[in-house]
Amino acid sequence: MTSAAELLNLSNLKDISSLRNDFPALHQNVNGKPLVYLDSAASAQRPQSVIDAMVTQDEQNHSNVHRGVHQLSQRSTEAYEGSREKVRAFINAQYHEEIVFTRGTTESINLVASSLGEKILTPDDEVLVTWMEHHSNIVPWQLACEKTGAKLRAVPINSNGELDLNEYTRLLTDKTKIVAVGHVSNALGTINPIEHIISTAHKVGALVVVDGAQSVPHIKIDVQAMDCDFYAFSGHKMYGPSGIGVLYGKKALLNDMPPYQGGGEMILTVSFEKTTYNELPCKFEAGTPNITGAVGLGATVDYLNSIDFDALSRYEADLLNYATEKFLELPGSRIIGTANKKASVLSFMLGDIHAHDLGTILDQDGIAIRTGHHCAMPVMDHFGIPATGRASFALYNNIEDIDRFILGLKESMELFK
Ligand code: C6P
C-alpha cells in the first residue's frame, strides 16, 4: 500500500498547503466537525484577498461604470476595466476587447449560441457537441438549432469516459459549423485533447466554442496557443465571486456578431428609426454589469497569478491519485470516469447505497460532496446510472480531507449493512 508521504511530493505540499490558510470559509465546524470541503467543482471557496477587494469596492468605490465624470464612477470604471485587462493577460488573449464579462459560463455559451448560432446556422448545418457536456453546453445549442433548423450531433464517449476521437473525426464534416466542447468534464474529470479537437474542427471550417468552466482553476490557459474561437468560464469555480464570468472570443468573430441583449451601454446612438451599436466589448455588455463581481474576479486573477500552476497541477494530481487509491480499497467501490488524463474529480458509486444518502451521511460528519447527475444527464445515461457522488479537489484540500472522506464512506457502509 502506498503511503500518503510517498504519493505526495512533500516539497510541493509545503508550498501549496499553506494556501489553505487564505480561505476563511474552510476554518469552521459544520455539524460539529471541522469542515471538509470537497465540492469545489460546483463552486470553490474564495481567498481573503478576493473578499477584501470586493468589500473595498463596495465600501469606498462603488458607483456605475462608464457613465459618470465623478470620482467614484471613475474609480469603479478603472477597477472594472483593470479586471478586464487582468483576465486578458491571464488567458493570454490578444486584445482586451476579446474579454466580455457575463454572468458565468452558462451566459457566455448562451451568448454565442444565440448571437453567432442564429446568425450563421441554416437547416443544412450541424452543431457538434459531445456526450460528456454539461447541460449548459447542450441546451443553448438545442435552442439555436430549433430556431434555425440546424441539426445537433453528439460525439460518443467510451467506457472510461473519454471522447471517441475516431467518431469525432467521422462526425466532423463540411456541414459542421460549430463544435462546442468542454475542456474538462465536471461529471467525469476527463481532460479532453482540446488542441487536437480544435485543429481538426478548423480543417473543416468549423468554429470551436470551449466550455472552460472546469479547466480554468486547474490548467494554465493560453487561448492564442489553443487557437479556440471562443472560451467560456465562471468566476466562482476559480476561487472568485459568483454571478461573474467571461466569454473570450476572437475579435473578428465578435465584431461580426449581432448584439445578444439590448439596453444601455451596448449602443452608440438610439433613435426610433435606427440604433447603432457600441464597440467591443460593450456591444455585449448591455445594462449595468456586476461591477463588484468583476473587481473580485480581477483580485482572483491576482491570487492565481501568485501560484505556480505546474506545482498546483502536480499537487492536485497527487491528491486525486491518493483519493482514487484509497477509494478503490473500499468493497463495492466503482469510479465513473477513469480517463487517462483527469482533473481533480472523483465521481463514484459505492455498493448499492444511493449517492444522495451518501451525501447526507457525509454532511453529518462535516464533509461536503456533490451528489446527483451533475447537470450532465447524457453522461448518466451512457453509464446507465441515475446519479453519482462526486468529490472534487482544489488547491486548499489536503490528505487529511481525503482520509476523513474515506472514513466517512466507511461509516456510511456500516450504517447500510
Ligand atoms: N457545474 C457542477 O457542480 P455556471 O453555473 O454558469 O457557472 O457553470 C455552468 C457549467 C458549465 N460547464 C461545466 C463543465 C460546468 O461544470 C458548469 C457548472 C457545476 O459541476 C454546477 S452544475
Side-chain angles (χ1 to χ4, degrees):
M1 204 192 316
T2 323
S3 73
E6 278 171 309
L7 276 165
L8 287 175
N9 176 341
L10 288 174
S11 60
N12 288 336
L13 182 67
K14 248 189 175 160
D15 288 337
I16 305 280
S17 70
S18 68
L19 300 176
R20 185 180 178 91
N21 298 328
D22 298 338
F23 293 80
L26 298 176
H27 305 285
Q28 62 174 303
N29 283 358
V30 169
N31 289 324
K33 308 269 175 55
L35 171 64
V36 171
Y37 192 74
L38 299 178
D39 198 19
S40 301
S43 203
Q45 299 300 337
R46 293 106 198 226
Q48 189 64 52
S49 59
V50 170
I51 297 167
D52 289 347
M54 293 171 75
V55 170
T56 303
Q57 170 62 23
D58 283 349
E59 281 183 351
Q60 296 171 25
N61 300 330
H62 175 70
S63 180
N64 214 325
V65 291
H66 305 143
R67 286 161 172 84
V69 289
H70 58 80
Q71 259 296 318
L72 292 194
S73 178
Q74 285 181 17
R75 276 193 229 152
S76 280
T77 305
E78 256 169 49
Y80 182 77
E81 289 305 326
S83 288
R84 197 189 307 279
E85 174 52 25
K86 287 177 187 178
V87 171
R88 183 207 63 74
F90 182 61
I91 62 168
N92 195 31
Q94 197 173 357
Y95 307 107
H96 76 272
E97 296 97 315
E98 297 180 320
I99 305 299
V100 178
F101 285 131
T102 63
R103 282 192 299 126
T105 308
T106 303
E107 189 176 50
S108 297
I109 297 171
N110 273 280
L111 190 164
V112 187
S114 169
S115 169
L116 174 85
E118 290 171 32
K119 181 181 155 102
I120 67 167
L121 293 173
T122 71
D124 290 331
D125 296 332
E126 293 180 356
V127 175
L128 192 52
V129 296
T130 86
W131 271 70
M132 71 172 82
E133 295 316 306
H134 186 278
H135 299 162
S136 293
N137 205 22
I138 299 174
V139 185
W141 300 112
Q142 270 171 334
L143 293 170
C145 286
E146 269 168 29
K147 286 187 187 145
T148 59
K151 317 253 170 335
L152 189 72
R153 301 267 182 258
V155 183
I157 55 179
N158 66 21
S159 55
N160 292 329
E162 293 162 323
L163 281 182
D164 183 333
L165 292 173
N166 290 332
E167 273 301 291
Y168 172 58
T169 314
R170 197 185 64 76
L171 286 164
L172 205 55
T173 69
D174 57 3
K175 289 184 173 181
T176 316
K177 291 292 168 298
I178 296 169
V179 172
V181 61
H183 193 167
V184 171
S185 157
N186 68 318
L188 302 164
T190 310
I191 303 177
N192 283 320
I194 201 69
E195 283 87 2
H196 169 78
I197 290 170
I198 293 167
S199 61
T200 318
H202 283 167
K203 282 188 191 135
V204 299
L207 296 171
V208 184
V209 181
V210 182
D211 173 350
Q214 297 293 345
S215 41
V216 172
H218 305 292
I219 299 170
K220 191 80 193 88
I221 303 302
D222 181 334
V223 289
Q224 291 188 74
M226 196 185 287
D227 197 26
C228 55
D229 299 293
F230 298 93
Y231 202 90
F233 55 100
S234 301
H236 70 106
K237 297 202 197 281
M238 53 188 279
Y239 314 104
S242 59
I244 185 82
V246 172
L247 174 68
Y248 157 81
K250 284 182 181 163
K251 194 171 159 186
L253 294 169
L254 289 174
N255 261 328
D256 274 355
M257 285 160 51
Y260 170 54
Q261 293 178 329
E265 192 61 21
M266 50 74 70
I267 54 90
L268 276 183
T269 61
V270 177
S271 73
F272 291 112
E273 289 70 41
K274 185 171 169 56
T275 290
T276 57
Y277 305 127
N278 208 339
E279 313 259 285
L280 291 176
C282 298
K283 183 173 86 172
F284 291 110
E285 293 182 4
T288 299
N290 180 354
I291 302 162
T292 307
V295 173
L297 187 62
T300 307
V301 168
D302 288 340
Y303 185 79
L304 289 175
N305 281 340
S306 72
I307 294 167
D308 175 351
F309 255 71
D310 289 336
L312 174 63
S313 295
R314 285 196 300 274
Y315 180 69
E316 289 184 341
D318 288 345
L319 285 180
L320 181 65
N321 289 341
Y322 181 72
T324 303
E325 183 169 322
K326 293 290 160 194
F327 177 73
L328 287 175
E329 286 169 11
L330 302 178
S333 56
R334 178 179 172 200
I335 294 180
I336 307 297
T338 48
N340 207 11
K341 287 199 168 159
K342 272 185 75 173
S344 320
V345 166
L346 185 75
S347 210
F348 64 91
M349 304 183 73
L350 194 56
D352 52 11
I353 312 176
H354 195 283
H356 290 314
D357 292 332
L358 282 175
T360 308
I361 297 167
L362 290 177
D363 180 54
Q364 293 308 305
D365 274 341
I367 303 162
I369 63 162
R370 187 173 170 191
T371 61
H373 53 62
H374 314 297
C375 302
M377 283 187 177
V379 170
M380 301 298 130
D381 287 349
H382 171 79
F383 287 97
I385 53 177
T388 73
R390 185 188 69 184
S392 49
F393 310 108
L395 54 80
Y396 40 63
N397 290 120
N398 58 24
I399 284 294
E400 289 77 49
D401 289 342
I402 294 170
D403 288 342
R404 287 261 317 275
F405 165 61
I406 298 292
L407 193 64
L409 291 178
K410 283 183 182 160
E411 284 167 7
S412 310
M413 288 162 70
E414 281 302 310
L415 275 177
F416 277 87
K417 242 183 190 170

